[in-house]
Amino acid sequence: MNTPVQITLSLALLLSTTCIASNRSVAAGNPQDPPPNILIITVDNVGYGDLRPFNQASPIHTPNLNLLARQGAVLTDFYTASPTCTASRAALLTGRIPQRNKLSEQLVGLAGNYGVGLPQSEIILPQVVKNSPHGYATAAFGKWNIGFAPGSRPTERGFDEFLGIASGNADHFTHVYAGRKDLYQNTTAINRHGEYSTDLFANAAISFIEEKTGTGQPWMVYLPFDAPHHPGDRNVAPGEPNIWKAPDYAFEPYGVSPEVTDPKRRFNAVVTAIDLAIGRVMKRLDALGIADNTFVFFYSDNGAFYPYLDIQSNAPFSGAGVTLWEGGIRVPAIVRWPGRVAANSRIGTRLWSPDLFVAAASLAAAPLPQDRFIDGRDPLPVLTGETIHSPHASLYFRYQNFAALIWGDYKILREKPSEPWKLFHLREDPSESRDLAEMRPDLVKKLEEPYRLTEAEIESYLEREKNALP
């Protein structure tokens, strides 16, 4: 006899595939239209308040991201499924929350980054897009950070091409991580000493896009910049300063010398360098005449970290990366798809990073895996204005001792399992400064129940998955 949790899981899987199938028509458009190209850009530890489309008081020069926002839509309520680099990237690439894809912690050290990382049984985004009838080419340029053992590397998991770093935060000019050269072309270590990583990755993306566009082949590019991740002492040679590093041209908009020592100004220049690189990619799409047929999605993998909040900003939110306060998981996101996503618009519907897995499959008209639970839902009806309603009734988060659940305007949060839940009304109090738990114990109980049921469903799912293994 099936248990209630097993029945719930079966229904959830059915609803998941039914929902996805019903939304595929959103991307299809005219049957004669060429399949859209897909460009997913991520940045590393950029806070919600660091970018002017989200915080007009930001001092950082980002003219190209500002333009991208005017050409498309700013997503004010977009969440990453995990507040740390490795787990957030795995959630994007699998469409599954960390508790399901089993990569819930940050990979650290050479052993972690060069280990298996994300289980090789997981199906990742390029593998799905490869099942499209349209013959997509796929590439990744930038930060990998989910495991680089044989069988775990990008070109062994569905990407046709890769240029990037295996780890999470190599030096931007020497590409060294923990005393080891960390830059790879496909699976081969290469030396491009002195070339700024942001430009390396953008240039590689542009070359790939030019080549595939020239042959008429649709493409999907994953462009995960490793900047502006805070500088790491382990990545600089003995005797060198551990500072935010940017190319000389990125300091020019601020009228300061590249030798400036103020860390805030140096950080700003790092972000401006990313902006200029993104601008070059966008201009190339225009020059190639493919901008209107390219779905572009930009977001930050998680919020800025606590030690750097005097340099960066998660405003107006509390908390930071590696926490489940809004500052850790609510991130800046922009989407552009001319003619389908309304220009100069703002979308306040709640979405999250696993949805991009489903969006890419829908855009490519590729079937989703049917043998596993996908936590993402198709965001295209929201992004294209077909509906204002989120495809998610609630969002569940767990990271280390942190736990949270968002349902409607309310969020419960606790920092340790032994602590009582806090309760916040996110619309009225996005900074999470007023705990309503004592005033509204009924609402705490109401949100705690789906959290508890989700935990039970995940445990049942993992048990069934384990029992299904040969």
Side-chain angles (χ1 to χ4, degrees), residues 100-113:
R100 263 189 252 277
N101 67 40
K102 304 181 187 67
L103 190 53
S104 59
E105 296 293 334
Q106 181 66 25
L107 293 181
V108 296
L110 293 175
N113 279 284

Side-chain angles (χ1 to χ4, degrees), residues 163-186:
L163 187 146
I165 59 172
S167 68
N169 60 341
D171 183 272
H172 295 321
F173 282 106
T174 66
H175 321 123
V176 166
Y177 173 71
R180 171 178 173 155
K181 287 285 189 179
D182 195 50
L183 187 66
Y184 288 81
Q185 178 84 52
N186 300 329

Side-chain angles (χ1 to χ4, degrees), residues 172-409:
H172 295 321
F173 282 106
T174 66
H175 321 123
V176 166
Y177 173 71
R180 171 178 173 155
K181 287 285 189 179
D182 195 50
L183 187 66
Y184 288 81
Q185 178 84 52
N186 300 329
T187 59
T188 302
I190 60 173
N191 188 351
R192 303 284 288 273
H193 188 102
E195 297 184 52
Y196 194 62
S197 59
T198 295
D199 291 332
L200 266 176
F201 304 150
N203 291 344
I206 290 170
S207 295
F208 180 86
I209 290 167
E210 289 175 339
E211 177 188 347
K212 301 309 172 185
T213 300
T215 63
Q217 186 176 13
W219 49 263
M220 183 195 77
V221 167
Y222 172 45
L223 182 54
F225 291 107
D226 62 331
H229 190 289
H230 54 269
D233 187 59
R234 73 173 71 191
N235 303 333
V236 296
E240 289 188 7
N242 181 24
I243 56 175
W244 304 90
K245 293 183 179 180
D248 290 357
Y249 64 77
F251 292 90
E252 293 175 4
Y254 302 95
V256 298
S257 164
E259 305 305 317
V260 66
T261 58
D262 177 36
K264 172 62 177 172
R265 291 185 173 186
R266 297 196 66 84
F267 168 78
N268 292 353
V270 174
V271 178
T272 294
I274 301 170
D275 179 81
L276 293 170
I278 291 173
R280 288 192 292 109
V281 176
M282 295 300 106
K283 289 181 178 67
R284 199 65 196 132
L285 299 182
D286 290 334
L288 292 169
I290 58 173
D292 286 353
N293 194 44
T294 301
F295 175 88
V296 178
F297 200 99
F298 163 93
Y299 80 102
S300 178
D301 62 348
N302 46 254
F305 284 18
Y306 273 129
Y308 306 98
L309 292 188
D310 58 338
I311 295 171
Q312 296 186 246
S313 172
N314 290 324
F317 308 130
S318 298
V322 301
T323 81
L324 294 182
W325 294 89
E326 291 291 281
I329 55 176
R330 193 160 161 184
V331 294
I334 301 170
V335 60
R336 188 186 79 171
W337 194 17
R340 296 168 179 84
V341 172
N344 203 27
S345 62
R346 298 179 78 82
I347 296 174
T349 302
R350 191 167 293 124
L351 299 169
W352 71 344
S353 53
D355 295 339
L356 291 174
F357 182 90
V358 182
S362 183
L363 291 162
L368 285 167
Q370 299 298 303
D371 63 343
R372 62 199 63 207
F373 190 95
I374 304 298
D375 294 283
R377 296 290 181 268
D378 195 340
L380 295 176
V382 171
L383 300 179
T384 59
E386 182 180 319
T387 181
I388 61 170
H389 301 294
S390 175
H392 304 281
S394 63
L395 295 181
Y396 161 94
F397 301 89
R398 180 154 54 91
Y399 179 70
Q400 295 186 346
N401 287 327
F402 279 87
L405 184 128
I406 300 173
W407 186 5
D409 290 337

Side-chain angles (χ1 to χ4, degrees), residues 89-102:
R89 292 159 199 279
L92 160 68
L93 289 171
T94 62
R96 287 151 58 85
I97 60 175
Q99 289 69 37
R100 263 189 252 277
N101 67 40
K102 304 181 187 67

